[in-house]
Amino acid sequence: MLGPVILAASRSDRMRRFISAAPGTKQVVDRFIAGETVDQVVPVIEDATGKGLEVTLDVVGEDITTPEQAAAARDAYLELIGRLEGLGLGARAEMSVKLSMFGQSLDGGHELALANVRPVVEAAAAIGTTVTLDAEDHTTLDSMFAIHEELRKDFPQTGCVIQAYLFRTEEDARRLAAAGSRVRIVKGAYKEPASVAYQDKAEIDKAYVRVLRTLMEGEGYPMIGSHDPRLIAIAQELGRKAGRKLDEYEFQMLYGIRSDEHVRLAAEGHRMRVYTAYGTDWYGYFMRRLAEKPANLLFFGRSVLTKG
Ligand SMILES: Cc1cc2nc3c(=O)[nH]c(=O)nc-3n(C[C@H](O)[C@H](O)[C@H](O)COP(=O)(O)OP(=O)(O)OC[C@H]3O[C@@H](n4cnc5c(N)ncnc54)[C@H](O)[C@@H]3O)c2cc1C
C-alpha cells in the first residue's frame, strides 16, 4: 500500500525540498547512490570489476526542465565515457540512460532526446561498450522504442528495457526478441494506472515469467533485471531449457541491493552487471528505491529522526 504513496510523493516539489534537506537523508541515499562525481564512482567501478562483476552506469537527474540541462546531461555521460576510456574496461562498463534527462519531455522532446543521446551512443561504441535506454513511465515508451530503433540502425548493440507490469510488454518482447537485440526485463518501478498495467504483485510476476520465456527462446540477448530469488531461479531454468550457455544472457541488480547475491551469481559463472547510479540529482531514483521496499522507509525515517 505504501509504494504508490511514495511514488506519488516522488513527483512533489515540496517533498523533494523536505527530503533533500532532512538531516540523516545522506546516510540512506549513500546505500543506493555510488557517489556524486565521476571521481567518486571510478573506485566503485574498479571494485566491482575487480570482483568479476560488470557495471552499467546511470548518471541520475531525470527531472530536467530546460534544453541546457539536457545538454549538460549529455556532457556528463561524455565526461564519464572519457574516464572509462582510460580504464580500458570495454563492454564490462556500459551506460544506462533515461531519455527524460536528455530532454524527451520538453517541447520537441523526441528529436531533442535523440540528438542528445546519439553522441553518447557513438562515444560508447568508440570505447567498445554500449548504451541501454531505461524504461520510464508508460507515456514515454513509444518515443523511447522509436529512438531505440533509430539508434540501432547505426549501433545495433543499443539496448532497451521492458517492464513486466505493462500490458503492452508481451507484444514488445516478441518484437524485440530478434537476433542482435539486447533487452533488459524488469518488473517496473513507476506508478501506473490499472488501464495500462497489472497492479497485483502475483500478476506482475507471472507476466515477468511469460516475457522472460519469450526473450530466452528468442534470438536476442536477455538481461534479467531483478533481485527476486524466485525469478532468478526461473531464469536459470529457462536459460537451460532454451539451450543457452551462461554467457548468452546476464543478470543485473542495483548497486546497494543484495550485494552478496551479485558475487554469488558471478562465482557460479553467470554474467552479473551492477546498475550503478551516481550524481547529485538522486531524488527520483532514491524515491523509487524507497517505494520498492517499504522497510527502507522505516530505516529512512529512523535515520532522519536520530540525526534531527
Ligand atoms: C538492473 C536494474 C535496472 C532497472 N531498470 C529499470 C527501468 O529501466 N525501468 C523501470 O521501471 N524499473 C527498472 N528497474 C526497477 C524494477 O522495475 C523493480 O522496481 C525493482 O527491480 C524491484 O523489483 P525486483 O524484481 O527486484 O523484485 P521485488 O519483488 O521488488 O524484490 C525482490 C527482493 O529484492 C530486494 N529488493 C528489491 N528492491 C529493493 C529495494 N529498493 N531496497 C532493498 N531491497 C530491495 C528485497 O529483498 C525484495 O524482497 C530496474 C531494476 C534493476 C535490478
Side-chain angles (χ1 to χ4, degrees):
M1 289 308 283
L2 261 178
V5 176
I6 301 169
L7 288 176
S10 76
R11 309 307 311 161
S12 153
D13 279 342
R14 253 178 83 195
M15 195 57 96
R16 171 194 284 268
R17 281 194 297 276
F18 171 72
I19 289 186
S20 302
T25 295
K26 187 165 176 347
Q27 186 192 339
V28 190
V29 169
D30 283 351
R31 176 179 167 196
F32 302 110
I33 301 287
E36 293 198 340
T37 62
V38 178
D39 281 341
Q40 287 168 351
V41 82
V42 164
V44 177
I45 298 169
E46 289 175 321
D47 180 56
T49 52
K51 289 179 184 151
L53 306 170
E54 303 180 53
V55 293
T56 182
L57 296 154
D58 170 27
V59 185
V60 288
E62 61 221 64
D63 296 315
I64 63 128
T65 52
T66 67
E68 290 73 26
Q69 288 173 309
R74 175 201 62 207
D75 294 345
Y77 273 97
L78 293 176
E79 182 196 358
L80 169 65
I81 293 168
R83 286 296 292 276
L84 291 176
E85 184 174 14
L87 299 179
L89 292 170
R92 295 175 72 204
E94 69 137 35
M95 263 41 71
S96 282
V97 305
K98 288 188 175 51
L99 291 174
S100 58
M101 189 179 173
F102 287 78
Q104 190 189 38
S105 60
L106 306 180
D107 272 352
H110 179 82
E111 283 69 28
L112 183 63
L114 177 58
N116 278 325
V117 78
R118 189 182 281 283
V120 174
V121 174
E122 275 167 10
I127 66 159
T129 192
T130 53
V131 172
T132 294
L133 307 182
D134 282 356
E136 302 183 64
D137 78 75
H138 77 278
T139 62
T140 65
L141 296 183
D142 285 339
S143 161
M144 185 274 274
F145 287 126
I147 290 176
H148 177 241
E149 204 173 312
E150 191 57 35
L151 291 170
R152 286 200 71 212
K153 289 177 187 162
D154 295 320
F155 303 97
Q157 66 280 21
T158 307
C160 73
V161 180
I162 53 178
Q163 298 151 312
Y165 63 14
L166 292 181
F167 302 146
R168 65 174 286 166
T169 294
E170 288 183 56
E171 202 178 316
D172 289 328
R174 281 192 287 275
R175 174 172 48 81
L176 290 162
S181 78
R182 293 170 58 256
V183 184
R184 180 195 304 150
I185 165 74
V186 299
K187 289 188 184 178
Y190 293 79
K191 185 173 183 299
E192 297 290 9
S195 54
V196 299
Y198 300 108
Q199 308 291 313
D200 178 55
K201 258 180 145 330
E203 286 293 329
I204 297 170
D205 288 357
K206 279 192 229 159
Y208 194 113
V209 175
R210 288 195 297 274
V211 171
L212 188 53
R213 178 172 287 118
T214 302
L215 296 180
M216 283 291 196
E217 290 175 355
E219 293 181 64
Y221 181 73
M223 305 185 280
I224 298 111
S226 179
H227 313 92
D228 186 334
R230 234 185 94 241
L231 291 179
I232 288 157
I234 291 172
Q236 289 172 314
E237 183 58 24
L238 288 175
R240 248 191 314 272
K241 280 191 180 150
R244 284 181 180 264
K245 301 199 192 85
L246 292 192
D247 64 353
E248 290 175 338
Y249 62 95
E250 71 182 42
F251 290 107
Q252 298 190 346
M253 293 189 189
L254 302 178
Y255 173 85
I257 301 179
R258 303 200 69 209
S259 306
D260 292 348
E261 192 65 4
H262 306 177
V263 178
R264 188 189 71 79
L265 283 165
E268 273 187 15
H270 285 288
R271 290 188 72 179
M272 163 54 73
R273 194 176 294 279
V274 183
Y275 186 110
T276 306
Y278 78 97
T280 49
D281 193 2
W282 42 258
Y283 180 73
Y285 182 89
F286 175 65
M287 292 299 274
R288 285 194 294 282
R289 302 297 78 82
L290 290 188
E292 280 157 359
K293 187 157 178 177
N296 290 343
L297 190 66
L298 280 180
F299 179 59
F300 175 59
R302 228 179 281 133
S303 171
V304 168
L305 286 176
T306 30
K307 300 267 169 165

